Amino acid sequence: MARQGKRDTYHRETRVIHGEFDSPHWDYRNHIVPPISASSAYRLESATRGARGFLTFANPEFNRKETHPIYIYDRLDEPSRGMLEDNLAIAEEGECCVCFSTGMAAISAALGVLCKAGDRILAHHTLYGCTYSLLTNWMDRFGVKTRFVDFKDLDAVQGALDRNAMVFYFETPTNPTLELIDIGAIRRIADRVNARRGKRRRIFVVVDNTFATPFCQRPLALGADIVVQSLTKNIGGFGTDMGGAVIGPRLLEPDLLLFRKDFGAVLSPRAAWPALVYGLPTLAVRSRRQMETAMAVARFLAAHPAVREVIYPGLPAHPQFDLARRQMQDPDGAFAPGIMLTFVLKGDLAEARDKGAAMMDHIAANALSITLAVSLGQIRTLVEHPSSMTHATVPPEAQLEAGIDPGMIRMSIGLEAAQDIIADLTAALAHIEG
Ligand SMILES: *Cc1c(COP(=O)(O)O)cnc(C)c1O
């Protein structure tokens, strides 16, 4: 096909709108909008075709992107999800992508295919809560221990290594503290370890890119081996469906497909479709607008007398601003510090916590442009106060030790007018100061 040869010359932004229109998953020539396929099982014209389907599934000798998959059963492979996987691989600059029912299912699969009993994971000490629980409650039970270190301290990472360490795992930016981890620096440590190890014992660098999204940061190009994503957040973008993805080298694709087949957390084609048709194609335009607003809100908060500190990678006051500029870039190389920001209210521990809770209640009762809710990466601006919400049972002093400042508030910026968000914040801050 004529357009096929030129595809690589187009922008990623354009390519995720149009997809791999000659994908073996579907013939795009006759559709503008790809179909939602809904068939749990597939008709096989002959036993031979069935046999071939089983033979080629997750077989490293058959490349799913080049050989037309023989569909058998949704849990193995399925066309709507397959098209989303093609496009996510383009967006993240990866060789292959396998999608799961949620972000947590994707993280479980990535760690599940990389680790076996006796192996060790080295993880940054600040992690998404459920990831921390997965590592400490479940992986541990299966004989995979995790050692937590501060990945900003490269000597500490180096010092925590032992011969059983098989995975470096981290998020950047981290939640909710928006610290950054230098992906290239962790890659260099992994390379030094791998130079001394056999091929089957190489250590993998796994990055959760949910906060930045592939629009703001491509960890694979910066040195990661594997990216995990919660599609529930920015990539889905509209807050309608859950999903997760693992993007990485083709050599891991067969195991990821087999893991998904047997553990069973497949992304439903009905949930893949909105991410394919609405979410991913609008990620760039949403992100640009949301980042512009995030910057305006960050500047407003930084100048507000009730606020002690604003943490946003786009502000020169961010302690890792230079790393942010190097690492967080859109596909054209423009600085792309993301849509998440955190700020800390003034006051001693208990006072800051009470003010945070009062601010949340005021927003919930009065603000149209800001919604009190968990989750992030939606077209609506979402706010939460970890101290009085997720960590409410933990005393303020212990919260601080766990990295949760009692006065800390996290915002995920949406598509509302910046002036409205600032006006709603002004009113809520006046309320707690008044
Ligand atoms: C939400 C989130 C996850 C988990 O994703 P789900 O789709 O909710 O399972 C993992 N990592 C980060 C950073 C997240 O924000």
XYZ file of all heavy atoms in Angstrom, residues 102-105 107 128 131 171 175 208 210-211 230-233 242-243 376, ligand 1:
159
model
N -6.439 -3.655 34.011
C -6.179 -2.456 34.813
C -4.671 -2.192 34.826
O -3.882 -3.053 34.422
C -6.607 -2.636 36.302
O -5.792 -3.659 36.887
C -8.073 -3.010 36.453
N -4.308 -1.033 35.338
C -2.887 -0.741 35.504
C -2.224 -1.747 36.445
O -1.110 -2.204 36.192
N -2.935 -2.117 37.533
C -2.345 -3.077 38.476
C -2.137 -4.443 37.821
O -1.148 -5.128 38.110
C -3.215 -3.214 39.739
C -3.137 -2.031 40.703
S -1.478 -1.355 40.999
C -0.591 -2.788 41.604
N -3.048 -4.853 36.950
C -2.874 -6.134 36.251
C -1.638 -6.065 35.351
O -0.893 -7.046 35.228
C -4.123 -6.465 35.435
N 1.070 -4.151 35.867
C 2.254 -4.166 36.730
C 2.501 -5.593 37.235
O 3.638 -6.087 37.229
C 2.081 -3.166 37.902
C 2.026 -1.741 37.351
C 3.200 -3.311 38.922
C 1.563 -0.690 38.346
N 3.091 4.129 44.120
C 1.631 4.051 44.137
C 1.222 3.008 45.186
O 1.817 1.921 45.250
C 1.164 3.653 42.735
C -0.325 3.546 42.586
C -1.137 4.681 42.625
C -0.931 2.314 42.400
C -2.505 4.582 42.487
C -2.303 2.206 42.251
C -3.080 3.341 42.310
O -4.431 3.235 42.164
N 0.750 -0.668 44.270
C 1.999 -1.296 43.830
C 2.817 -1.697 45.050
O 3.380 -2.799 45.106
C 2.811 -0.324 42.944
O 1.965 0.121 41.885
C 4.035 -1.007 42.369
N 8.562 4.801 39.671
C 7.702 5.749 38.961
C 8.467 7.055 38.871
O 9.180 7.407 39.799
C 6.417 6.019 39.770
C 5.587 4.795 40.022
C 4.731 4.899 41.288
O 4.615 6.001 41.867
O 4.196 3.868 41.702
N 4.369 9.590 43.005
C 3.085 9.969 43.546
C 3.177 9.954 45.078
O 3.594 8.959 45.630
C 2.050 8.929 43.077
C 0.691 9.158 43.683
O 0.303 10.283 43.926
N -0.023 8.084 43.943
N 7.081 2.910 35.692
C 5.653 3.225 35.626
C 5.541 4.657 35.096
O 5.913 5.614 35.774
C 5.046 3.095 37.032
C 3.541 3.393 37.059
O 3.054 4.120 36.171
O 2.870 2.915 37.990
N 2.795 6.284 34.198
C 1.406 6.752 34.260
C 1.303 8.264 34.461
O 0.498 8.928 33.825
C 0.661 6.031 35.407
O 0.705 4.628 35.165
C -0.774 6.481 35.505
N 2.131 8.823 35.354
C 2.013 10.259 35.638
C 2.429 11.095 34.429
O 1.790 12.081 34.107
C 2.866 10.642 36.857
C 2.096 10.626 38.147
C 1.175 9.612 38.400
C 2.273 11.614 39.104
C 0.449 9.594 39.584
C 1.562 11.610 40.292
C 0.653 10.599 40.538
N -1.090 2.865 33.496
C -2.510 2.709 33.788
C -3.271 3.470 32.718
O -3.205 4.700 32.654
C -2.846 3.273 35.171
O -4.257 3.360 35.305
N -4.001 2.755 31.876
C -4.802 3.419 30.830
C -6.018 4.118 31.437
O -6.673 4.930 30.794
C -5.274 2.387 29.794
C -4.183 1.563 29.109
C -4.810 0.538 28.169
C -3.233 2.463 28.340
N -6.305 3.786 32.703
C -7.415 4.409 33.424
C -7.193 5.915 33.568
O -8.147 6.681 33.707
C -7.486 3.788 34.844
O -7.339 2.369 34.740
C -8.771 4.128 35.534
N -5.947 6.338 33.540
C -5.600 7.730 33.829
C -5.533 8.550 32.536
O -6.471 8.552 31.777
C -4.288 7.772 34.618
C -4.241 6.772 35.782
C -5.220 7.104 36.899
C -5.319 5.988 37.938
N -4.054 5.637 38.567
N -11.363 1.385 32.791
C -10.069 1.008 33.363
C -9.262 0.211 32.345
O -9.826 -0.447 31.466
C -10.266 0.159 34.617
C -11.059 0.879 35.679
S -10.819 0.169 37.331
C -9.226 0.881 37.752
N -7.952 0.259 32.500
C -7.094 -0.538 31.627
C -5.642 -0.359 32.008
O -5.294 0.531 32.790
N -6.750 10.381 38.532
C -6.052 11.510 37.907
C -6.117 11.357 36.397
O -6.583 10.339 35.887
C -4.585 11.523 38.380
C -3.780 10.241 38.105
C -2.781 10.452 36.985
C -3.042 9.791 39.347
C -3.600 4.451 39.059
C -2.202 4.053 39.037
C -1.837 2.711 38.921
C -2.857 1.593 38.881
O -3.706 1.679 37.782
P -5.203 1.076 37.806
O -5.640 1.250 36.399
O -5.982 1.868 38.814
O -5.080 -0.364 38.212
C -0.495 2.409 38.896
N 0.452 3.363 38.966
C 0.139 4.659 39.078
C 1.238 5.675 39.148
C -1.190 5.064 39.119
O -1.492 6.358 39.235
